[in-house]
Amino acid sequence: MACPDSPLLMKLVSFIILAFLVTNLNSQTQCKNFRSIISFGDSIADTENLLSLSDPNDLPGSAFPPYGESFLNHPTGRFSDGRLIIDFIAEFLDLPLVPPFYGSQHASFEKGVNFAVAGATALEPSFLERRGIHSSTTNFSLGVQLRSFKESLHCLRVSLSDCIDMIENALILMGEIGGNDYNFALFQRKAIEEVKELVPRVIATISSATTELVRMGGRTFLVPGNFPLGCSAAYLTLYQTSNKEEYDPLTGCLTWLNDFGKYHSEQLQTELNRLKNLYPNVNIIYADYYNALLCLYQEPTKFGFIKRPLPACCGLGGLYNFNFTRKCGSLGVESCNDPSKYVNWDGIHMTEAAYRWISEGLLNGPYAIPPFNWSCLNSKIKKKKSLDTLDLL
């Protein structure tokens, strides 16, 4: 998929698409005024769960500055300098930021709930351990998160019809999940052929969880693919080589790792198409995280980023400003002067600025497949959307 020619053109196209959808009742997805967001996943969507689950004497890096410096000017448990994709989606829908479930004393789900935990895998950690793939981050797999959701419904003291209504009118964000299954293996330098064997199992797990939520009443799902791993400062540092043929001449990313990311995303899309045929009355939207982020690396200056966007904003040393032993959040590791000019935040996660553009590409095209139908947006959101568009025209 080609990048939009510019942020301005991206907005113009979005404006035309919105006008078309308003007059076309046969659009590909059913329009909903979502009342809440229900989220599952890993650090890409974690809004404080890992922090709440952690030992106070062994807190994750996201608990320390400079994390959060661009949002509330202090760490919020998010693995970025500011807001995440889930935050921008909530703001777009005029909903409160989605509260983390773990550690919460008063989960009501009225405006949404987030089960995503940094370090989470799609597959069970015990399965990965049997394969020699080790992780000490967390054991809150997708299956554990889904069980937490189902168990929590019993504690809400609401009727079955209210539960179904809540799930039916929520936007359910299924990830990103599965990235850590591959990360933990690749960080241990497992052969790519061995890592590739995990893909069908990861896809099946995502599909199974989505199916279970459909049977519980879920009607709209946003299911992200993987990012272009070969553009990650962590991988560029770990697999750095003098062999120029391993790098994409346009971006400087490792082509074999990006090929793997594309493979996962293609397999996921195939499975989602199968689910769409199985449940024709359910909106299952593929979120193309791969191409949405790749565009920022291909044409960074068009989106307001520095010409060489691969180094991390927050890191220490080396060609890509990343060090596995002294990561962002560690004592003495500082961030760049202006994170809004960087795509990569800490070597693994993106900056708020990058997440903003990815969110824009999902909500207004072209990276949601099929695109969202916003023809029934409530008047308050429509007015805000129109003003945002006109500001850029």
Side-chain angles (χ1 to χ4, degrees):
M1 180 181 289
C3 294
D5 287 342
S6 70
L8 176 57
L9 182 58
M10 194 172 177
K11 282 287 184 181
L12 282 166
V13 171
S14 302
F15 188 74
I16 294 167
I17 289 172
L18 177 63
F20 174 77
L21 289 176
V22 168
T23 57
N24 185 357
L25 299 179
N26 296 315
S27 39
Q28 289 178 284
T29 56
Q30 303 160 27
C31 188
K32 274 187 176 292
N33 274 308
F34 299 108
R35 297 179 197 167
S36 66
I37 296 172
I38 300 170
S39 170
F40 304 90
D42 56 25
S43 58
I44 304 303
D46 184 352
T47 53
E48 204 180 356
N49 278 315
L50 181 62
L51 187 56
S52 298
L53 291 164
S54 297
D55 184 330
N57 297 314
D58 187 22
L59 294 174
S62 63
F64 304 99
Y67 283 94
E69 67 178 15
S70 301
F71 180 30
L72 297 175
N73 205 31
H74 65 79
T76 63
R78 291 163 173 80
F79 281 82
S80 182
D81 63 306
R83 288 163 290 182
L84 311 178
I85 295 167
I86 185 175
D87 297 316
F88 288 113
I89 293 174
E91 289 178 1
F92 176 88
L93 295 173
D94 201 33
L95 294 171
L97 298 183
V98 187
F101 172 77
Y102 299 104
S104 172
Q105 300 298 314
H106 305 287
S108 68
F109 296 8
E110 183 180 350
K111 294 298 182 182
V113 63
N114 188 4
F115 294 89
V117 181
T121 53
L123 303 174
E124 294 301 323
S126 56
F127 172 83
L128 295 172
E129 286 288 341
R130 290 196 297 272
R131 294 264 181 139
I133 300 169
H134 311 297
S135 164
S136 58
T137 308
T138 178
N139 62 355
F140 282 78
S141 65
L142 180 57
V144 171
Q145 293 176 32
L146 188 55
R147 283 195 295 275
S148 293
F149 175 59
K150 290 190 291 186
E151 290 168 2
S152 65
L153 292 177
H154 298 297
C155 302
L156 292 180
R157 297 179 183 176
V158 295
S159 67
L160 177 61
S161 62
D162 285 343
C163 271
I164 293 173
D165 183 69
M166 182 267 292
I167 298 170
E168 190 175 278
N169 289 287
L171 173 62
I172 302 176
L173 183 56
M174 298 298 295
E176 188 269 348
I177 193 72
N180 284 325
D181 301 65
Y182 310 138
N183 287 337
F184 296 141
L186 290 166
F187 286 158
Q188 293 173 228
R189 289 185 169 272
K190 298 283 186 183
I192 193 64
E193 293 78 14
E194 185 179 347
V195 181
K196 209 169 182 179
E197 291 175 1
L198 297 174
V199 174
R201 293 179 181 272
V202 168
I203 302 297
T205 302
I206 296 170
S207 177
S208 176
T210 302
T211 300
E212 193 164 351
L213 287 162
V214 168
R215 290 171 179 168
M216 293 174 67
R219 287 296 173 265
T220 307
F221 296 82
L222 184 62
V223 188
N226 213 331
F227 288 117
L229 299 180
C231 302
S232 160
Y235 283 120
L236 286 164
T237 299
L238 182 64
Y239 290 101
Q240 191 170 346
T241 174
S242 58
N243 183 1
K244 293 183 179 180
E245 292 183 1
E246 292 196 16
Y247 296 93
D248 176 0
L250 174 62
T251 61
C253 303
L254 287 163
T255 53
W256 64 274
L257 270 170
N258 278 1
D259 287 343
F260 173 77
K262 280 192 286 189
Y263 173 71
H264 165 90
S265 297
E266 288 165 359
Q267 297 302 305
L268 178 59
Q269 287 185 79
T270 299
E271 177 59 17
L272 294 182
N273 287 335
R274 186 188 72 83
L275 291 180
K276 289 174 191 177
N277 291 329
L278 198 59
Y279 304 106
N281 295 321
V282 177
N283 295 330
I284 300 176
I285 303 168
Y286 171 69
D288 188 2
Y289 280 13
Y290 182 93
N291 283 301
L293 179 57
L294 188 63
C295 274
L296 305 186
Y297 289 115
Q298 290 174 333
E299 301 178 291
T301 57
K302 285 189 176 181
F303 296 90
F305 298 107
I306 57 175
K307 288 184 179 180
R308 186 172 169 267
L310 294 174
C313 167
C314 180
L316 190 67
L319 185 60
Y320 303 102
N321 199 36
F322 180 82
N323 188 312
F324 274 96
T325 59
R326 295 190 67 189
K327 298 178 184 177
C328 187
S330 300
L331 190 64
V333 178
E334 298 180 351
S335 64
C336 57
N337 291 329
D338 188 357
S340 71
K341 299 297 183 184
Y342 280 71
V343 175
N344 200 320
W345 167 244
D346 59 7
I348 297 172
H349 309 95
M350 273 54 75
T351 59
E352 177 183 88
Y355 285 139
R356 182 191 295 274
W357 277 116
I358 294 170
S359 305
E360 176 70 25
L362 296 177
L363 295 166
N364 295 319
Y367 300 116
I369 306 169
F372 281 100
N373 177 352
W374 299 124
S375 61
C376 65
L377 288 176
N378 69 49
S379 57
K380 185 176 180 182
I381 300 174
K382 255 184 195 175
K383 183 177 179 181
K384 177 179 179 293
K385 181 180 173 65
S386 299
L387 290 172
D388 288 346
T389 305
L390 289 171
D391 284 344
L392 286 149
L393 294 180

